[in-house]
Amino acid sequence: MPARLDRYPSVVMNKSSRPLLLCLTLAAIPWADAALAGPAESLPADRLVERLHRAAPSLDRNVLSLAAHAMTCSIRRGESVPMQRLSVIDYSRPSTQPRLWVFDLEGARLLFEERVAHGRNTGENLATRFSNATGSYMSSLGAFVTQESYRGANGYSLRLQGLEPGFNDKARERAIVIHGAPYVSDALVRAQGRLGRSLGCPAVRTTVAQPLIDSIRGGSFLFAYYPDPAWLKQSRLLGAECGAGVAAHPAAASTGG
């Protein structure tokens, strides 16, 4: 079980390397409508969310439900998203707290629970502003698909493809990537009361960057949340046409955990 939020947890890693290949049909995704017991990948949506929430009780359940809804919607829209991993960032939490969770959906297991930096123009300790614009130095909201890993100026990094026009679809053009950064550290939190900030990238601890990236690269789903009214209203993955509008989710009206 991960540590409490007032004690910064170390990495929780899955030791299994057994590959999981899931058919991209609604009957085979983890939140399919068939009410089956047993493996996590066969569970209906509400039961899978319950199991993931038990694995990561510090993650707001309503945010987790939104992430699951967006992932399901992306499949209904024909996105080629392998269903091995789900990553959730809750930018409504302060940078001093863990706010990135990575789940193995095969067993509904928590793999990582980490602090993550936001863009320098997104806010100080608390994120307040988001952008899709090149040169904004702000973080972006919404759903992403992870792409290829590479080594660049920030070391081992992971490219992201934004799935939401107007909110994050310029992520690759902006070089919004997951990478390790020395300013994501306990020392910075003690010295200045917040993490250092990126140019818009979700940066993590340098020591965890490679194992985390290797666990989610190559097409997994990442969901970055903040109770931004425009995004919640206009997101193509959270609308009623995908099965349930955001009005059905308390997270849409909350300020987060």
Side-chain angles (χ1 to χ4, degrees):
M1 180 66 65
R4 289 164 52 94
L5 286 178
D6 56 354
R7 297 176 57 196
Y8 184 53
S10 57
V11 178
V12 181
M13 294 202 58
N14 176 21
K15 303 299 184 183
S16 172
S17 59
R18 181 166 63 93
L20 171 65
L21 298 176
L22 296 181
C23 178
L24 294 182
T25 66
L26 290 177
I29 62 175
W31 23 81
D33 292 333
L36 300 176
E41 65 266 28
S42 301
L43 294 177
D46 56 346
R47 292 187 60 191
L48 180 68
V49 168
E50 178 62 32
R51 287 187 62 179
L52 295 180
H53 190 252
R54 284 203 302 268
S58 60
L59 171 54
D60 187 307
R61 179 174 178 147
N62 295 315
V63 174
L64 180 57
S65 294
L66 283 175
H69 174 74
M71 189 173 183
T72 302
C73 185
S74 71
I75 296 170
R76 289 174 176 164
R77 287 180 171 272
E79 305 285 355
S80 297
V81 183
M83 299 295 103
Q84 278 183 283
R85 301 284 188 264
L86 171 64
S87 303
V88 181
I89 298 174
D90 184 356
Y91 281 125
S92 71
R93 303 178 67 87
S95 71
T96 52
Q97 295 182 359
R99 53 182 182 172
L100 164 63
W101 296 263
V102 177
F103 296 97
D104 167 25
L105 295 179
E106 180 185 16
R109 293 186 293 268
L110 177 65
L111 303 183
F112 299 89
E113 182 175 26
E114 291 288 325
R115 290 182 177 129
V116 61
H118 54 247
R120 66 172 61 165
N121 289 334
T122 282
E124 296 290 330
N125 186 32
L126 293 172
T128 58
R129 300 177 298 279
F130 298 86
S131 177
N132 191 39
T134 301
S136 67
Y137 296 161
M138 293 186 196
S139 299
S140 296
L141 295 176
F144 302 80
V145 172
T146 65
Q147 297 192 306
E148 77 276 13
S149 59
Y150 69 99
R151 293 195 179 274
N154 291 303
Y156 197 58
S157 304
L158 178 65
R159 298 193 193 279
L160 301 174
Q161 176 186 345
L163 299 179
E164 305 212 44
F167 293 100
N168 66 18
D169 59 332
K170 293 184 180 179
R172 187 158 181 126
E173 172 187 326
R174 295 177 60 204
I176 300 302
V177 302
I178 296 177
H179 64 80
Y183 50 77
V184 181
S185 68
D186 289 338
L188 261 293
V189 170
R190 290 192 297 267
Q192 59 188 25
R194 61 167 172 79
L195 294 184
R197 294 165 299 170
S198 68
L199 300 184
C201 298
V204 297
R205 291 184 296 139
T206 54
T207 54
V208 80
Q210 181 152 348
L212 188 151
I213 287 170
D214 284 344
S215 76
I216 64 174
R217 66 183 178 178
S220 69
F221 195 81
L222 185 149
F223 183 78
Y225 169 82
Y226 183 81
D228 177 78
W231 168 63
L232 289 169
K233 181 179 180 180
Q234 298 172 35
S235 170
R236 68 173 191 155
L237 299 180
L238 297 178
E241 67 273 15
C242 274
V246 294
H249 300 276
S254 75
T255 57

